[in-house]
Amino acid sequence: MDIVNFFEKVEGIWFSQRTTHFSPDQPSQTGQTLLQITRVNLSESRVVDLCQQASANPDEAVVALLIQQESQQSTYRTSAPVAQGPTLLIGFKSEDEASGKFLSQTGQEAIVPGHYQLKDEVLTFTIRTDEFQSDERIWYMNPNLRMRTSLVKRADGFQMSSFCSELRRSSK
């Protein structure tokens, strides 16, 4: 399987059940998210604009996804909706078709560059900056059930890890 095939599998509406652990001294959280993931035409202006802003060649993009989410998170005593703007994710060509670079931007936040690797049908996204590092892994148990883990570490010592099980509600 190559990266384009993997990304084709993610399209649809997903229900995500999440558990998040923080370190140090913060309570764990649980949450639910409804994710709507759609492919975006590579020639759309928002894809080309994001590539140009990041000094990336839009002709080297192989896939673009728009990820919209509605989240609800809970701690031991509270439950609250969490607002987050849509995320545009763009994957680029690579020599081996199993790894390469990506860009993502959520709402009007800064553009985040990273690296992806697809190995043994597990996709790993890696982001490294001076302020933080993030690793996220996604794999499928079957076409309508996927698992996702993430680990975020900040320079100030803060750490967060999460596990999500995600069920596809519809394919588009």
Side-chain angles (χ1 to χ4, degrees):
M1 173 185 307
D2 68 16
I3 193 65
V4 174
N5 298 122
F6 191 94
F7 280 123
E8 286 173 346
K9 290 174 63 172
V10 304
E11 233 181 328
I13 298 173
W14 294 84
F15 173 77
S16 178
Q17 180 70 38
R18 176 184 65 256
T19 302
T20 305
H21 301 281
F22 299 93
S23 168
D25 302 327
Q26 291 188 17
S28 295
Q29 294 180 345
T30 60
Q32 297 83 36
T33 302
L34 195 60
L35 297 166
Q36 182 174 350
I37 304 171
T38 53
R39 280 186 76 150
V40 178
N41 189 310
L42 296 173
S43 62
E44 280 194 32
S45 62
R46 59 184 160 183
V47 174
V48 174
D49 291 346
L50 184 63
C51 290
Q52 290 173 344
Q53 290 174 36
S55 301
N57 184 349
D59 294 332
E60 292 182 2
V62 293
V63 66
L65 298 172
L66 183 65
I67 305 162
Q68 299 176 350
Q69 59 184 324
E70 297 173 26
S71 297
Q72 182 81 23
Q73 74 182 27
S74 302
T75 59
Y76 177 68
R77 295 191 171 120
T78 63
S79 180
V82 178
Q84 185 171 354
T87 298
L88 180 61
L89 182 129
I90 303 170
F92 293 91
K93 290 179 186 175
S94 65
E95 292 182 17
D96 64 9
E97 296 185 5
S99 64
K101 295 180 180 182
F102 73 89
L103 296 172
S104 69
Q105 184 178 39
T106 301
Q108 297 300 311
E109 294 178 12
I111 297 170
V112 177
H115 183 266
Y116 68 83
Q117 181 175 22
L118 181 61
K119 183 177 180 182
D120 298 327
E121 297 192 18
V122 176
L123 179 63
T124 302
F125 289 108
T126 303
I127 299 168
R128 300 279 187 264
T129 71
D130 291 339
E131 292 84 34
F132 78 98
Q133 61 183 14
S134 170
D135 295 291
E136 182 173 33
R137 300 180 75 214
I138 302 170
W139 68 97
Y140 288 86
M141 303 303 290
N142 66 50
N144 294 314
L145 174 62
R146 70 182 194 175
M147 304 295 154
R148 185 163 48 104
T149 62
S150 65
L151 177 61
V152 175
K153 295 179 182 179
R154 291 191 321 215
D156 64 4
F158 173 86
Q159 293 185 36
M160 178 191 80
S161 62
S162 66
F163 172 78
C164 302
S165 60
E166 299 176 333
L167 295 169
R168 187 189 317 260
R169 287 196 160 168
S170 73
S171 57
K172 287 188 188 178

